[in-house]
Amino acid sequence: NAGVMQNPRHLVRRRGQEARLRCSPMKGHSHVYWYRQLPEEGLKFMVYLQKENIIDESGMPKERFSAEFPKEGPSILRIQQVVRGDSAAYFCASSPVPNPETQYFGPGTRLLVL
Amino acid sequence: DQQVKQNSPSLSVQEGRISILNCDYTNSMFDYFLWYKKYPAEGPTFLISISSIKDKNEDGRFTVFLNKSAKHLSLHIVPSQPGDSAVYFCAASAQGGSEKLVFGKGTKLTVNP
């Protein structure tokens, strides 16, 4: 059973471009969580999705950020018109049930905005 | 406002000795606490948890202690091994863990052979 996969592992964008981060959950996991880790900071919750539904997006910035988890395919975190402050590591975790102990994290995508 | 604080950015111990990592929280609604371990270029891995109805939970070499009155928890690793060298994150949640996790900034543990 492959672990949580995220791609790309590294992404470089110029200010104003769009960034698309993908997360393929573990087989059988229908719950996906996105976290952001700014330099020298802990992980901060962004959004929790369960197949085709956004359950909790209280950690998402109000503008430029969106997330989806379609019926087929990976979960996508989309950042429009990136700014330098978006540079961070973005982690996704998947879980078979909504329980933090069963959240398995992917290796992260490191976004650098020039 | 940082609700979960890990005040020591780093800790260095000798192999075989005890490692004690500390965590403080401010939100009295938190009732579920977890520790994660993270190696470079990898995602965090769940290590051990404790709910507020307990004051201690043990799993092999890892023990977590919770002092609710002081809003403080600690992770003890005995004996420490070089493979334990990693960043350790404390996280907290409300409503038994069903609410989103709030993470501390992490403590980098180095275990010297």
Side-chain angles (χ1 to χ4, degrees):
Chain A
N1 189 5
V4 177
M5 299 178 70
Q6 289 188 249
N7 67 80
R9 294 292 305 274
H10 299 273
L11 182 61
V12 180
R13 285 287 178 265
R14 296 193 180 278
R15 281 179 296 168
Q17 291 184 320
E18 178 180 287
R20 278 184 180 240
L21 288 64
R22 293 174 187 77
C23 169
S24 296
M26 289 179 70
K27 188 176 181 180
H29 289 195
S30 60
H31 302 260
V32 166
Y33 307 78
W34 284 94
Y35 297 84
R36 176 166 68 173
Q37 184 184 20
L38 295 170
E40 309 302 322
E41 297 287 325
L43 283 75
K44 283 192 164 51
F45 168 82
M46 299 183 75
V47 62
Y48 161 37
L49 309 101
Q50 184 187 3
K51 275 298 182 184
E52 300 185 89
N53 295 308
I54 295 175
I55 307 300
D56 182 351
E57 56 181 348
S58 57
M60 286 276 271
K62 293 288 184 278
E63 298 176 350
R64 302 188 297 107
F65 285 72
S66 62
E68 62 177 13
F69 188 16
K71 188 176 180 181
E72 302 291 337
S75 175
I76 307 285
L77 179 67
R78 183 183 177 204
I79 311 172
Q80 295 179 289
Q81 299 174 322
V82 295
V83 300
R84 287 213 173 108
D86 297 332
S87 295
Y90 292 82
F91 293 94
C92 95
S94 74
S95 179
V97 293
N99 182 336
E101 290 189 22
T102 58
Q103 285 186 30
Y104 291 86
F105 282 82
T109 292
R110 277 137 189 91
L111 172 65
L112 176 62
V113 180
L114 301 176
Chain B
D1 178 33
Q2 208 177 342
Q3 298 184 70
V4 178
K5 299 178 184 178
Q6 293 178 258
N7 291 320
S8 297
S10 63
L11 175 68
S12 183
V13 299
Q14 285 299 120
E15 181 178 4
R17 305 295 288 267
I18 184 171
S19 295
I20 300 176
L21 296 97
N22 294 303
C23 178
D24 298 292
Y25 62 96
T26 57
N27 189 339
S28 57
M29 298 300 292
F30 288 149
D31 60 4
Y32 195 70
F33 305 90
L34 306 93
W35 284 93
Y36 289 84
K37 178 179 180 179
K38 185 181 180 303
Y39 292 117
E42 293 184 13
T45 303
F46 168 73
L47 199 55
I48 192 169
S49 67
I50 189 167
S51 73
S52 59
I53 62 173
K54 291 185 172 183
D55 55 16
K56 177 183 174 182
N57 189 24
E58 192 172 351
D59 183 2
R61 296 185 297 114
F62 303 90
T63 303
V64 57
F65 295 92
L66 175 63
N67 182 333
K68 289 186 289 293
S69 60
K71 293 191 176 68
H72 176 84
L73 63 154
S74 60
L75 174 67
H76 292 212
I77 307 173
V78 179
S80 302
Q81 299 173 354
D84 296 329
S85 297
V87 177
Y88 289 79
F89 290 98
C90 169
S93 177
Q95 296 187 25
S98 63
E99 288 285 294
K100 62 190 179 190
L101 291 173
V102 179
F103 283 83
K105 290 188 177 184
T107 296
K108 182 177 181 180
L109 173 66
T110 302
V111 180
N112 301 302

